[in-house]
Amino acid sequence: MKQSLSIVHLSSEMAPFAKVGGLGDVVAALAAEQVRRGHRVIVAIPHYRDLKLPPGWKLSDLSGIRVPWGMGHEAAKFTMAEGPTDQPSVLLVDHAGERHFFQRPGIYDDPATREGYPDNAERFLFFTRAALEAVKGFGEAFDVVHAHDQQAAWAPCFVRTHDSEDIAFAGTATVFTIHNLGYQGIVDPWVLGLAGFPRGAFYPHSPFEYHGRVNFMKVGILFSDLVSTVSPTYAREIQTSGEYGFGLEGVLRRRTGDVRGILNGIDDREWDPASDRWLPAHYSREQLDGKHACRRALALSCGFSLEPDWPVVGVVSRLVEQKGFDLFVAAERALCDLPARFVILGVGSPRYMEFFRRLADERPWQWWFGTSHDEALAHRIEAGSDLFLMPSRYEPCGLNQLYSLRYGTVPVVRATGGLADTVREFDPITREGNGFVFEGYSGDEMIMALRRALAVYGEPEQWLHVQRNGMQRDSSWRVAADGYDRLYAEALDRVGDGRVPTFESVRDSF
C-alpha cells in the first residue's frame, strides 16, 4: 500500500458535529487515527441545522455548485471545517434549494413526531451526489472513497457510473461499510430518476430492484469494490439467515469473497478512566480505588442508599427492540428480585421509556431512568457501574462493551455480532474471561447470566480478576485501523488490476 493515501469518507454522522449513535463515534475515531498515520482525510457529512462545531474549529465557505438531480439540477453549498492537525478536514454539505433538506431539527427524525422525515431518501441521495461533486471540484485524484451505511450507499455506484471518467476517481477504490443492516433505505422506484438512471434500469432482480422497490443498502453492496462490516461475527451472521441479513443475505452471499469483518475500536484518549474529564475520580488497572469513588458518586446521584451494598448494573443505549429491551419486559419480576440496582440512560420507543419510568417511580431504591443526551453522564455510568448489560437481539459491533471493559465494568452480553467477538465468559477455575455471556435470546438466559455475574461479584478476589482481564484488552483504533489499511490495500490492488464493478458487470451478474 502507498505510504500515504487520500481518503474521502461519506457519512450521515460524525461526532461531535452530528451524532445519533455509534456511527458518529466510529467515523470520527477512524478518520482521526488515519490522519495520525499520515493519510490525508476528508469526512463529508450533511450540514445539519443543529450541527455542533467543536471548540477551536474554524469554518471557511467554498464555492456552491448545481448538482445533477433527475432531469435538472439542485443547488448545493459547501463549507469546510478545519480543526487540530490530528483531525480530518470536514466537508459540510448543504442543500440550497427551496426545500432546504438539512435546515430542520434533528438528523433522521422529526423531534415533534419521533418519526423519520418522509423525504429522507431524497435528502441523503442529494448529500451523496453533492459530496462527490464537491470532491471532483478539488481538482485532484483520490485513492479511496469510503461510504458508510445506507445514507451514503450510492457513492460507490456514482463513482463507477456517472463519475467513472472523472480524474478525481480515475484510480479510486471504493469501500462500503455496513454498520447496521437493519436500516436499509427502501423506497419506491421513482428515486432512480433522481439518481440519474433510466426507467429501464429497474426490473426484477436488477441491481436496483428489491421486492418491487429500490434498496439503498443493496446498491452500496453491489457497486463497491469491497464490503466491510464492523465485526467478524456480524460479517458471518448477515450472510446466514434473514434474522440477521434482513432480506439481503442472498445478495451478501453472492459477494461473500468480497466481505470483510473488521472490529471497531474506541477512542482510548476520550475513554480513559485514568484521565476522563467527566469522572469524579480517576483509576487504572493497577489502582482501582478511584472506581469505588465513581461508584459511590453515581449511586448517590441516582438517589440510591449505600446500604445494602448492592452492585450497580448500567445501561446506556437506544431503547429499541434491537437492543434487547423486550427481554427486560419479559423478565421484569426476576430483575426486580435480583440484589442489584439498575441505572438506565436512553431514549427510543415510547413503550420502553414508559416501562423504565414506571420502574423508577415504583422502585426508586432499585431503578433510575434518565432520557437526556448527556455525554458526561454516559461516562459516569460506565465508570460507576459494576456491571454493564447488553442483551442485544443483534449487535453489529457495539461500543459500550468496549468502553466497559476499559473501565473495569464487567459486561453481561448476548453472544451476537461484536459482543461475541469481544466478551468471553469468565471461568472462576482458570480465571480466564472478561465477562458473562448468554446464547439464546430469552429473558431466562439473561437472568441466569446476571446471576452468574452476581455470584462472582460476591468473591472480591475473583471479581478483581475479571475486571483486570477486561482492562488489559487493547480496543484502540490503533489496532482497528490496521484492518482498514489492509482493506484499502486490497481494494487498490483490485483497481490496479482492472477488477472493478461497473454498471454492466453488476447488471450481468443478476
Side-chain angles (χ1 to χ4, degrees):
M1 188 177 68
K2 292 167 58 176
Q3 187 69 23
S4 177
L5 299 178
S6 54
I7 303 163
V8 179
H9 292 275
L10 288 86
S11 173
S12 56
E13 299 178 36
M14 176 186 174
F17 292 85
K19 174 186 168 181
V20 171
L23 172 62
D25 289 325
V26 168
V27 170
L30 171 59
E33 176 60 27
Q34 291 173 334
V35 170
R36 289 191 285 271
R37 291 177 176 224
H39 302 310
R40 183 188 176 216
V41 184
I42 297 172
V43 180
I45 63 173
H47 196 161
Y48 302 108
R49 187 192 74 176
D50 298 330
L51 182 139
K52 299 175 182 176
L53 186 70
W57 285 67
K58 298 185 182 301
L59 299 178
S60 57
D61 291 333
L62 305 180
S63 299
I65 59 172
R66 292 179 62 76
V67 176
W69 192 246
M71 298 295 290
H73 293 79
E74 283 283 308
K77 60 180 180 181
F78 306 102
T79 306
M80 190 68 81
E82 302 281 358
T85 57
D86 64 346
Q87 295 295 314
S89 301
V90 180
L91 175 67
L92 304 176
V93 178
D94 206 354
H95 176 228
E98 291 182 1
R99 291 163 62 190
H100 296 286
F101 286 146
F102 307 112
Q103 297 309 302
R104 57 182 72 168
I107 292 180
Y108 310 118
D109 299 343
D110 183 345
T113 64
R114 295 189 179 274
E115 299 288 336
Y117 282 109
D119 60 350
N120 273 344
E122 295 173 80
R123 296 172 73 216
F124 292 108
L125 179 64
F126 177 83
F127 155 69
T128 303
R129 191 75 190 270
L132 293 179
E133 290 295 312
V135 168
K136 287 159 57 177
F138 293 156
E140 58 183 287
F142 286 83
D143 297 303
V144 178
V145 167
H146 189 158
H148 298 267
D149 261 355
Q150 57 100 353
Q151 292 86 3
W154 283 89
C157 176
F158 291 151
V159 168
R160 295 293 178 235
T161 56
H162 302 327
D163 298 326
S164 62
E165 302 299 320
D166 196 281
I167 187 63
F169 306 124
T172 299
T174 63
V175 169
F176 179 57
T177 295
I178 300 169
H179 295 263
N180 191 332
L181 198 60
Y183 302 91
Q184 297 181 2
I186 301 172
V187 294
D188 290 334
W190 53 261
V191 77
L192 271 186
L194 296 181
F197 290 96
R199 191 172 202 170
F202 186 82
Y203 51 88
H205 307 297
S206 83
F208 303 111
E209 191 271 341
Y210 178 83
H211 299 291
R213 306 183 80 192
V214 172
N215 185 314
F216 283 26
M217 191 75 84
K218 178 183 176 182
V219 173
I221 291 168
L222 290 179
F223 280 92
S224 56
D225 295 316
L226 289 174
V227 178
S228 74
T229 72
V230 290
S231 72
T233 294
Y234 191 59
R236 294 190 295 272
E237 288 175 339
I238 60 177
Q239 299 179 63
T240 57
S241 71
E243 179 183 1
Y244 297 106
F246 292 96
L248 289 179
E249 59 276 7
V251 175
L252 285 157
R253 282 197 296 269
R254 294 176 75 98
R255 296 214 64 186
T256 189
D258 307 321
V259 179
R260 308 286 181 267
I262 302 172
L263 194 68
N264 280 337
I266 61 173
D267 184 340
D268 62 351
R269 298 185 300 176
E270 178 71 16
W271 290 91
D272 182 359
S275 59
D276 191 325
R277 58 186 166 144
W278 304 116
L279 303 188
H282 294 137
Y283 60 95
S284 66
R285 182 175 181 270
E286 293 71 31
Q287 179 52 261
L288 282 162
D289 287 350
K291 183 166 179 63
H292 301 303
C294 291
R295 181 177 180 272
R296 177 185 175 89
L298 178 65
L300 291 174
S301 70
C302 293
F304 295 154
S305 170
L306 299 179
E307 295 294 337
D309 187 23
W310 286 353
V312 175
V313 180
V315 175
V316 179
S317 178
R318 288 181 294 116
L319 303 182
V320 294
E321 188 171 321
Q322 176 214 327
K323 299 296 185 178
F325 287 104
D326 53 329
L327 299 188
F328 282 77
V329 176
E332 176 185 348
R333 178 173 296 181
L335 287 168
C336 291
D337 287 342
L338 292 174
R341 295 188 173 98
F342 296 86
V343 177
I344 316 293
L345 178 65
V347 295
S349 166
R351 174 194 179 197
Y352 299 127
M353 293 178 71
E354 179 54 37
F355 173 76
F356 288 119
R357 282 196 188 100
R358 177 176 60 78
L359 282 175
D361 288 342
E362 293 177 356
R363 305 176 67 87
W365 65 89
Q366 188 180 27
W367 292 82
W368 182 92
F369 175 53
T371 60
S372 61
H373 289 285
D374 190 332
E375 189 73 14
L377 180 55
H379 281 244
R380 291 195 292 270
I381 292 173
E382 284 287 3
S385 299
D386 300 290
L387 296 161
F388 200 94
L389 182 55
M390 297 180 69
S392 302
R393 182 180 292 273
Y394 70 94
E395 192 64 62
C397 177
L399 294 177
N400 278 103
Q401 86 277 14
L402 301 179
Y403 301 148
S404 298
L405 291 169
R406 183 157 173 76
Y407 278 59
T409 301
V410 177
V412 178
V413 306
R414 180 168 176 257
T416 183
L419 302 178
D421 289 326
T422 54
V423 182
R424 296 288 182 268
E425 179 79 19
F426 179 69
D427 185 333
I429 297 175
T430 64
R431 292 181 171 177
E432 296 178 347
N434 56 13
F436 298 88
V437 181
F438 63 100
E439 297 282 343
Y441 189 74
S442 77
D444 288 343
E445 288 209 29
M446 179 181 74
I447 293 296
M448 287 180 3
L450 282 167
R451 286 175 177 156
R452 294 196 303 274
L454 294 174
V456 174
Y457 179 83
E459 301 289 337
E461 186 180 349
Q462 294 277 42
W463 191 252
L464 189 60
H465 275 284
V466 68
Q467 284 182 297
R468 286 180 169 165
N469 289 352
M471 294 181 81
Q472 73 181 1
R473 187 182 195 279
D474 186 353
S475 299
S476 71
W477 272 107
R478 293 181 297 279
V479 174
D482 287 342
Y484 285 99
D485 282 347
R486 293 190 292 271
L487 186 75
Y488 292 169
E490 183 181 359
L492 286 165
D493 284 345
R494 292 186 177 206
V495 173
D497 294 340
R499 295 182 293 135
V500 299
T502 63
F503 181 78
E504 291 75 19
S505 70
V506 172
R507 179 193 61 197
D508 293 345
S509 69
F510 274 79

